[in-house]
């Protein structure tokens, strides 16, 4: 066939990543290089060495531990879920567009998280994303891996690749060092124009006569004689439809007039989760929902609208405006379209209870707050990971929302007075149960001590908050004031020692997760006590705690098989 | 005889290390017409007489790097402060990571070619966020050749340093920064609890300088193990030999001889070294070389 010979006539090229366009997860600050997505750029250095090196891109979460957390965002529409359970993605760009033939992912720590590989096609504006590969997550402990799946052969040019990860089955953090894209580029002007017009696909993908197949099916239905379903009352059909996912629902809409009418009922579109369909969502999709959503309650648009489509943001604004009075849950993680227009509308969603704004590229929180921010006053959960919110804005939000239970401000680099924020929290938000301020800079021992006045607190993520500060006896107060504590993350509190951590081990009997990564001065005696004295403990992270011997840990693992003990040293 | 054998092996290993480094630098394709670049060679020794495990970029507690980016060539050395050994901290780790991080920042283009002290500061701040707490302190010297204007931008903190020689004449030499005798300025990350007792200078305390360079200029970037043991006259006599040199192999030979001389003199108990002279000025009566780790990074400017 001429089509199969055609690519060989073009030049074969291979590229490593030139730039990172987007990502959902990071371990470190945006300004920092260690463990950062930027480490994907260029050739690999460490591979095939296996290990937790700062020169690789490391995902923040692993295993079931984050999914089990109370702060984990529940699926707004459980019938629409991702079969492969993608948790995170990273989008990378290469120097040259080519027809992809090979993709190699160099995984150097706990390999196996890649579940999908997408290519963004050049010259395809309608639906630019093509799936090159998908498969179940795997597990290859203790060895690095060059992941080189057999990808679907497409005849389009691409210079942008997206990897989706599911790391929930992995034992510890997942790290990728480099991505290689190999393929062909047109060498002549003729080849280029053939590619850009997509003419090659006319040769390789003859249009299958779909209509025929459908006709066959309809004949078999008629053969059955009676259609019991049509004798059901509308209410019952509506009820049955409520269990359908969005794809099946839109297929039902095409069956006949009656089904079409019922499937357009606003009741079916109260909770919408478009995250599993991010690659399909465009302006038409939003118009479709704009027609049907009249009493929208929960909306998850995470990962959607990343392709700079004109008018996408405006349609989201319309969707929000049509449902101001009913919307309670909203999630806009990694939404590139979020701009001032969208955010200003958020203020009018006065019923909002759960607001998730992770990794927004939009960087002008001040504008939101300058207007009437206080109209939002029913929040119980707020996720502002990686946002540029500042202390005063956060304090205003805390004061306006007395029922707040979950607050996530991981990696918010503009927060300079967190001690004051905690004081406001203690005064105004009595019900707070989850506080997560991973990798924020300004908290001190004094601020941590104030959490002792939050008796309902269950999860406290203070990882890297006191890297080089003296923790004093703040944990003594925490131990006394927070008896319900289930999850405590104290990564890299380098000033901590045995005496300072002991009160927590003695008093917080509800603890299930204790993260003491990088606490060099805590000795193995204390870890032994933690294992012995904390009856509900399931996860103990003592990586980079130099005082522990590997043999000792192995013995503990045998003695306490129900407890996962993480002990990794570079 | 034994020591001769040992040092002989040391020398050959150091040579191998240096040459391996030269051959691994991807230069010819980057070098475009009318664009300046640095041709460099490295040699050094650990002060330990026994053979140490050889890690690229490290000689004892000293560390070095050389890196290239589209807009600039960058060289750097750092000298870990040995006093930390008493606290159970490996002093070489801090300097090595500091240099390695500089190298990565340059390779990824995350630096300003006209601002070497910013590069040092970035690298230093980065160390804090390594999961494995990297503790210790170090002096450091970074030089950047900015291709746009053929100017050398330098930053130096402590008593490591650089020297630029043109046709046998020293046109610039870095100044030492010391708190008091034998106690240089240093970047440090002390263990929590020791913060008060530890000398720590901000990365912005680095002395910065810029020097327009010409084709053929010779640049020496080295740790105090070199400058404390080799008088300037000896250094300059060696550097003349590579004025305008473009062959990395011949550059390597001179780097080797400089490092070798510095090492021999550092163990010479009768030699009046620059270190002994400086001690004498500070009222300390001593003689002989100063046994120390030695790192020589030698480069010539090719325009």
């Amino acid at each position: 066939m001429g089509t199969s010979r055609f690519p060989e006539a073009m030049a074969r090229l291979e590229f490593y990543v030139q730039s990172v366009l987007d990502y959902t997860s990071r371990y470190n600050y945006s300004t920092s290089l260690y463990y950062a997505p930027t480490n994907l750029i260029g050739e690999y250095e460490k591979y095939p060495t296996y290990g937790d090196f700062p020169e690789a891109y490391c995902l923040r979460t692993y295993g079931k531990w984050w999914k089990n957390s109370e702060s984990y965002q529940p699926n707004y529409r459980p019938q629409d879920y991702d079969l492969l359970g993608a948790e995170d993605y990273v989008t990378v760009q290469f120097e040259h567009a080519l027809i992809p033939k090979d993709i190699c992912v160099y995984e150097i720590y706990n390999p196996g998280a890649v579940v999908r590989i997408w290519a963004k096609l050049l010259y395809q504006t309608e639906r630019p994303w093509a799936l090159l590969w998908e498969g179940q997550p795997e597990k290859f402990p203790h060895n690095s891996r060059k992941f080189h799946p057999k990808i679907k052969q497409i005849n389009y040019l691409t210079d942008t690749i997206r990897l989706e990860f599911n790391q929930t089955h992995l034992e510890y953090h997942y790290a990728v060092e480099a991505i290689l894209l190999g393929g062909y580029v047109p060498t002549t002007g003729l080849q280029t124009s053939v590619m850009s017009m997509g003419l090659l696909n006319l040769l390789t993908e003859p249009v299958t006569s779909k209509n025929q197949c459908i006709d066959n099916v309809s004949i078999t239905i008629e053969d059955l004689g009676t259609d019991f379903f049509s004798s059901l009352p509308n209410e019952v059909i509506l009820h049955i439809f409520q269990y359908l996912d969005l794809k099946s629902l839109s297929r039902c809409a095409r069956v006949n007039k009656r089904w079409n009418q019922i499937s357009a009922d606003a009741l079916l579109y109260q909770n919408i989760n478009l995250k599993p369909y991010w690659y399909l969502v465009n302006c038409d999709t939003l118009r479709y929902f704009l027609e049907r959503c009249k009493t929208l309650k929960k909306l998850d648009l995470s990962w959607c609208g990343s392709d700079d489509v004109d008018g996408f943001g405006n349609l989201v604004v319309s969707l929000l405006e049509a449902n101001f009075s009913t919307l309670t849950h909203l999630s806009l993680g990694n939404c590139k379209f979020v701009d001032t227009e969208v955010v200003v509308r958020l203020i009018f969603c006065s019923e909002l209870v759960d607001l998730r704004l992770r990794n927004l590229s939009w960087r002008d929180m001040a504008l939101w707050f300058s207007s009437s921010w206080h109209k939002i006053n029913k929040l119980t959960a707020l996720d502002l990971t990686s946002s540029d919110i500042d202390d005063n804005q956060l304090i205003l939000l805390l004061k306006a929302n007395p029922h707040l239970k979950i607050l996530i401000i991981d990696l918010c680099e503009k927060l300079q007075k967190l001690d004051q924020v905690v004081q406001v929290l203690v005064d105004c938000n009595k019900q707070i149960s989850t506080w997560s301020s991973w990798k924020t800079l300004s908290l001190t021992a004094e601020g941590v001590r104030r959490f002792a006045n939050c008796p309902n607190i269950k999860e406290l993520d203070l990882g890297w908050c006191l890297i080089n500060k003296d923790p004093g006896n703040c944990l003594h107060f925490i131990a006394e004031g927070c008896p319900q504590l289930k999850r405590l993350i104290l990564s890299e509190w380098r000033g901590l020692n045995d005496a300072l951590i002991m009160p927590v081990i003695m008093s917080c009997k509800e603890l299930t997760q204790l993260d003491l990564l990088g606490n060099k001065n805590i000795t193995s005696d204390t870890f032994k006590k933690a294992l012995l004295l904390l009856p509900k403990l399931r996860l103990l992270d003592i990586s980079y705690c130099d005082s522990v011997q590997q043999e000792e840990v192995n013995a503990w693992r045998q003695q306490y098989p129900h407890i996962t003990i993480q002990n990794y040293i570079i | 005889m034994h020591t001769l054998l040992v040092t002989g092996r040391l020398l050959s290993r150091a040579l191998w290390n240096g040459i391996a480094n030269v051959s691994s630098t991807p230069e010819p394709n980057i070098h475009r017409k009318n664009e300046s670049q640095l041709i460099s060679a490295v040699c050094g020794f650990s002060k330990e007489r026994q053979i140490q495990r050889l890690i690229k970029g490290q000689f004892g507690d000293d560390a070095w790097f050389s890196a290239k980016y589209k807009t600039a060539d960058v060289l750097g050395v750092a000298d870990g402060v040995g006093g930390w050994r008493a606290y159970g901290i490996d002093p070489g780790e801090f300097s090595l990571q500091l240099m390695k991080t500089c190298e990565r920042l340059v390779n990824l283009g995350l630096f300003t070619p006209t601002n070497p002290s910013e590069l040092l500061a970035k690298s230093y701040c980065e160390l804090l966020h390594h999961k494995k707490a990297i503790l210790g302190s170090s002096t450091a010297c970074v030089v950047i050749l900015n291709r746009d204007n053929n100017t050398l931008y330098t930053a130096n903190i402590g008593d490591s340093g650089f020297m630029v020689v043109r046709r046998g004449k020293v046109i610039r030499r870095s100044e030492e920064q010391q708190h008091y005798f034998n106690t240089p300025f240093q970047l440090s990350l002390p263990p929590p609890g020791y913060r008060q007792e530890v000398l720590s200078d901000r990365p912005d305390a680095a002395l910065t300088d810029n020097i327009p360079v010409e084709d053929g200029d010779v640049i020496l970037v080295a740790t105090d193990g070199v400058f404390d043991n080799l008088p300037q006259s000896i250094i300059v006599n060696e550097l003349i030999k590579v004025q305008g040199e473009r062959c990395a192999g011949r550059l390597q030979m001179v780097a080797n001889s400089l490092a070798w001389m510095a090492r021999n003199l550092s163990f010479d108990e009768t030699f009046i070294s620059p270190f002994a002279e400086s001690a004498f000025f500070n009222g300390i009566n001593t003689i002989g070389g100063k046994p120390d780790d030695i790192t020589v990074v030698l480069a010539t400017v090719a325009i």
Side-chain angles (χ1 to χ4, degrees):
Chain A
M1 275 293 287
T3 46
S4 64
R5 274 204 312 276
F6 194 71
E8 273 78 57
M10 297 191 268
R12 161 93 195 183
L13 285 176
E14 288 182 351
F15 291 107
Y16 287 95
V17 176
Q18 189 185 38
S19 61
V20 179
L21 300 180
D22 194 13
Y23 50 82
T24 54
S25 177
R26 60 149 69 244
Y27 188 88
N28 212 339
Y29 301 117
S30 59
T31 49
S32 196
L33 185 61
Y34 285 172
Y35 313 105
T38 30
N39 287 318
L40 288 172
I41 294 172
E43 210 173 328
Y44 56 86
E45 284 172 28
K46 292 289 180 187
Y47 176 85
T49 320
Y50 177 79
D52 187 10
F53 298 107
E55 292 91 349
Y57 170 40
C58 177
L59 295 184
R60 164 82 172 93
T61 64
Y62 67 88
K64 59 188 176 179
W65 308 106
W66 275 261
K67 266 192 144 162
N68 291 347
S69 157
E70 285 180 19
S71 57
Y72 190 79
Q73 181 194 322
N75 190 347
Y76 294 163
R77 190 182 172 95
Q79 59 268 48
D80 281 295
Y81 66 97
D82 178 6
L83 277 169
L84 295 171
E87 291 275 306
D88 288 301
Y89 71 75
V90 64
T91 313
V92 293
Q93 195 170 35
F94 298 85
E95 200 178 327
H96 259 282
L98 31 82
I99 301 164
K101 293 290 166 200
D102 296 284
I103 288 177
C104 296
V105 183
Y106 295 89
E107 304 170 301
I108 60 166
Y109 198 45
N110 291 300
V114 180
V115 290
R116 282 194 189 89
I117 300 176
W118 298 90
K120 188 176 179 182
L121 310 178
L122 284 188
Y123 315 118
Q124 304 292 313
T125 41
E126 269 298 293
R127 292 263 156 77
W129 290 98
L131 184 66
L132 296 183
W133 178 85
E134 68 177 344
Q136 289 296 331
E138 297 168 287
K139 213 167 165 179
F140 298 89
H142 318 306
N143 274 305
S144 59
R145 174 172 79 146
K146 176 176 152 186
F147 181 52
H148 184 181
K150 197 168 162 25
I151 60 170
K152 191 182 149 200
Q153 299 302 312
I154 54 168
N155 285 314
Y156 289 98
L157 286 169
T158 180
D159 63 352
T160 306
I161 296 290
R162 176 180 287 196
L163 303 184
E164 280 184 33
F165 304 113
N166 176 358
Q167 68 278 29
T168 52
H169 63 297
L170 295 179
E171 287 170 10
Y172 206 41
H173 291 285
Y174 170 75
V176 199
E177 205 192 2
I179 303 166
L180 179 74
L181 173 67
Y184 294 93
V185 281
T187 45
T188 62
L190 177 65
Q191 285 174 347
T192 315
S193 41
V194 166
M195 295 309 307
S196 60
M197 293 162 82
L199 292 178
L200 213 51
N201 300 286
L202 296 177
L203 295 170
T204 49
E205 290 167 22
V207 184
T208 48
S209 44
K210 280 176 190 165
N211 297 336
Q212 257 182 352
C213 308
I214 292 167
D215 284 348
N216 290 340
V217 177
S218 59
I219 289 165
T220 49
I221 290 173
E222 274 169 26
D223 287 347
L224 287 171
T226 40
D227 174 9
F228 294 109
F229 205 84
S230 63
S231 51
L232 290 173
N234 283 0
E235 290 76 10
V236 177
I237 295 181
L238 190 61
H239 187 81
I240 293 170
F241 279 3
Q242 279 187 15
Y243 295 98
L244 292 179
D245 59 286
L246 288 170
K247 267 188 180 171
S248 314
L249 203 55
S250 59
R251 280 179 194 139
C252 289
R254 281 181 252 158
V255 170
N256 57 36
K257 269 191 180 169
R258 185 169 170 227
W259 283 36
N260 184 285
Q261 228 166 23
I262 300 171
S263 69
D265 196 303
L267 199 63
L268 298 169
Y269 303 93
Q270 287 193 328
N271 303 329
I272 303 290
N273 175 18
L274 292 179
K275 183 175 149 189
Y277 309 115
W278 61 266
Y279 53 95
L280 295 171
V281 175
N282 56 21
C283 292
D284 289 339
T285 328
L286 289 183
R287 281 189 205 105
Y288 179 87
F289 286 108
L290 199 54
E291 274 174 34
R292 287 161 178 77
C293 298
K294 305 291 179 226
T295 53
L296 188 61
K297 285 182 180 161
K298 301 181 181 180
L299 176 64
D300 190 342
L301 282 176
S302 298
W303 302 14
C304 297
S306 61
D307 304 310
D308 315 317
V309 192
D310 279 342
F312 193 88
N314 292 340
L315 282 164
V316 174
V317 166
S318 310
L319 196 59
L320 292 177
E321 275 176 344
N323 297 281
F324 273 158
S325 54
T326 52
L327 202 65
T328 57
H329 290 60
L330 182 64
S331 178
L332 299 173
N334 282 71
C335 288
K336 287 267 169 67
F337 62 82
V338 173
D339 57 5
T340 315
E341 286 297 301
V342 175
V343 172
V344 165
R345 296 313 190 288
L346 285 184
I347 300 154
F348 301 106
C349 300
S350 54
E351 297 299 312
L352 268 184
V353 170
D354 193 309
L355 182 59
R356 315 263 174 174
L357 303 173
R358 298 174 69 87
N359 304 313
L360 293 187
S361 52
W362 177 72
R363 293 259 159 220
D364 203 0
M365 281 274 174
L367 237 149
W368 179 20
F369 289 91
S370 62
S371 39
S372 38
W373 47 268
H374 56 269
K375 282 193 179 165
I376 299 183
N377 53 21
K378 293 180 179 142
L379 286 181
T380 60
L382 180 62
D383 184 345
L384 294 169
T385 303
S386 287
S387 72
D388 74 340
I389 192 164
D390 74 25
D391 303 275
N392 295 333
Q393 296 159 358
L394 185 58
I395 286 173
L396 289 178
L397 259 176
L398 290 180
K399 284 183 175 165
N401 292 280
H403 304 298
L404 199 68
K405 282 186 178 155
I406 294 166
L407 179 66
I408 304 171
I409 46 170
D410 298 349
L411 299 162
C412 292
E413 290 157 34
K414 275 201 177 173
L415 294 171
Q416 299 296 326
K417 297 178 283 188
L418 268 182
D419 286 359
Q420 277 182 42
V421 174
V422 178
Q423 189 57 52
V424 174
L425 183 90
V426 167
D427 295 338
C428 306
N429 310 89
K430 299 286 181 203
Q431 296 170 35
I432 193 85
S433 71
T434 296
W435 166 282
S436 181
S437 61
W438 169 267
K439 284 256 180 192
T440 49
L441 291 163
S442 57
L443 207 62
T444 69
E446 183 54 38
V448 175
R449 188 188 291 191
R450 291 177 187 157
F451 284 110
N453 297 317
C454 302
N456 296 314
I457 210 143
K458 293 196 181 79
E459 301 187 345
L460 207 45
D461 183 342
L462 305 172
W464 296 80
C465 287
L466 300 192
I467 311 178
N468 257 16
K469 293 174 199 154
D470 179 14
N473 61 350
C474 65
L475 289 180
H476 172 78
F477 291 87
I478 296 282
E480 288 202 338
C482 313
Q484 298 187 44
L485 212 54
K486 283 168 71 178
R487 184 174 203 230
L488 184 61
I489 297 182
L490 304 175
S491 312
E492 300 286 348
W493 280 35
R494 291 174 187 164
L496 221 51
N497 60 30
D498 292 334
L500 298 177
I501 186 77
M502 245 359 242
V504 170
I505 293 169
M506 301 304 286
S507 311
C508 299
K509 296 296 178 195
E510 295 293 317
L511 267 185
T512 58
Q513 294 179 37
L514 183 58
D515 185 331
L516 297 171
L517 178 133
N519 284 294
K520 282 186 167 207
N521 298 333
I522 302 180
T523 63
S524 61
D525 275 350
T526 305
F527 300 136
K528 216 186 283 173
K529 279 185 192 141
L531 293 165
L532 186 70
L533 297 174
L534 296 170
K536 294 188 177 170
L537 195 66
R538 292 296 173 269
L539 175 66
L540 179 67
D541 192 337
I542 51 173
S543 299
Y544 299 95
C545 295
D546 300 352
S547 62
V548 198
Q549 300 298 315
Q550 191 57 45
E551 300 83 59
E552 220 170 349
V553 176
N554 290 340
W556 293 341
R557 281 185 183 139
Q558 297 221 321
Q559 202 180 345
Y560 304 97
H562 59 289
I563 301 178
T564 308
I565 304 173
Q566 308 288 8
N567 172 47
Y568 182 78
I569 296 167
I570 228 171
Chain B
M1 190 59 204
H2 173 71
T3 49
L4 188 70
L5 256 177
V6 168
T7 45
R9 282 175 71 184
L10 263 174
L11 179 63
S12 63
R13 292 185 119 205
L15 276 173
W16 178 85
N17 193 15
I19 288 164
N21 162 56
V22 168
S23 59
S24 71
T25 47
E27 21 176 313
N29 49 355
I30 290 174
H31 181 55
R32 271 162 283 163
K33 227 181 157 95
N34 298 329
E35 279 222 326
S36 49
Q37 65 162 341
L38 293 178
I39 299 157
S40 65
V42 183
C43 188
F45 295 99
S46 164
K47 68 169 163 291
E48 304 298 329
R49 281 170 180 272
Q50 311 94 306
I51 293 174
Q52 304 284 302
R53 110 195 126 105
L54 204 62
I55 296 172
K56 193 185 169 199
Q58 190 176 37
F59 297 110
D61 300 340
D62 284 3
W64 61 273
F65 80 97
S66 79
K68 284 170 189 286
Y69 191 66
K70 276 177 261 172
T71 49
D73 281 7
V74 189
L75 305 172
V77 295
D79 178 4
V81 174
W84 287 106
R85 205 166 269 114
Y87 297 86
I89 292 166
D90 173 11
E93 174 115 57
F94 186 91
S95 50
L96 181 66
Q97 289 293 343
L98 187 71
M99 290 293 103
K100 284 210 165 231
T101 308
C102 280
E103 185 179 356
R104 265 192 95 70
L105 287 165
V106 173
N107 286 337
L108 290 171
L110 302 172
F111 72 111
T112 320
T114 52
N115 195 346
S117 74
E118 178 205 59
L119 176 64
L120 266 182
K122 267 192 185 170
S123 175
Y124 168 73
C125 293
E126 202 70 28
L127 293 183
L128 199 58
H129 297 286
H130 200 300
K131 286 190 203 172
K132 176 182 182 180
I134 295 164
L135 304 173
S137 48
S138 173
T139 70
C141 179
V142 171
V143 304
I144 303 181
L145 174 71
N146 184 18
R147 281 192 238 284
D148 286 345
N149 56 1
N150 291 335
T151 302
L152 203 62
Y153 292 85
T154 67
N156 184 36
I157 187 154
D159 57 4
S160 295
F162 67 91
M163 187 187 272
V164 183
V165 175
R166 182 177 300 159
R167 291 181 287 276
K169 211 171 142 227
V170 179
I171 60 168
R172 200 68 60 92
R173 184 180 171 164
S174 58
E175 282 171 48
E176 281 187 8
Q177 286 173 300
Q178 292 199 336
H179 289 286
Y180 38 86
F181 176 64
N182 209 17
T183 309
F185 274 49
Q186 50 199 266
L187 299 171
S188 62
L189 285 175
Y194 289 97
R195 300 187 91 200
Q196 268 72 45
E197 298 112 86
V198 171
L199 278 172
S200 185
D201 301 289
R202 304 265 329 134
D204 46 32
L207 284 176
T208 56
D209 202 349
N210 57 76
I211 309 135
V213 287
E214 292 177 5
D215 182 41
D217 284 356
V218 185
I219 301 160
L220 171 71
V221 187
T223 52
D224 59 338
V226 175
F227 294 115
D228 280 348
N229 288 309
L230 289 181
Q232 183 165 314
S233 57
I234 295 184
I235 298 178
V236 173
N237 275 337
E238 285 300 307
L239 296 190
I240 293 172
K241 296 177 188 165
V242 285
Q243 169 72 35
E245 184 60 72
R246 293 199 179 197
C247 166
R250 280 195 284 275
L251 207 60
Q252 185 68 54
M253 279 156 60
V254 172
N256 295 346
S257 74
L258 274 172
W260 189 236
M261 278 191 293
R263 181 174 169 86
N264 278 337
L265 290 174
S266 74
F267 291 118
D268 187 331
E269 286 165 14
T270 57
F271 174 63
I272 300 174
S273 63
F275 177 76
E277 283 177 28
S278 168
F280 183 75
F281 282 121
N282 282 281
I284 301 165
N285 206 358
T286 181
I287 196 165
K290 177 189 167 199
D292 199 351
D293 301 315
I294 287 159
T295 302
V296 172
V297 181
L298 187 60
T300 53
V301 180
I303 296 177

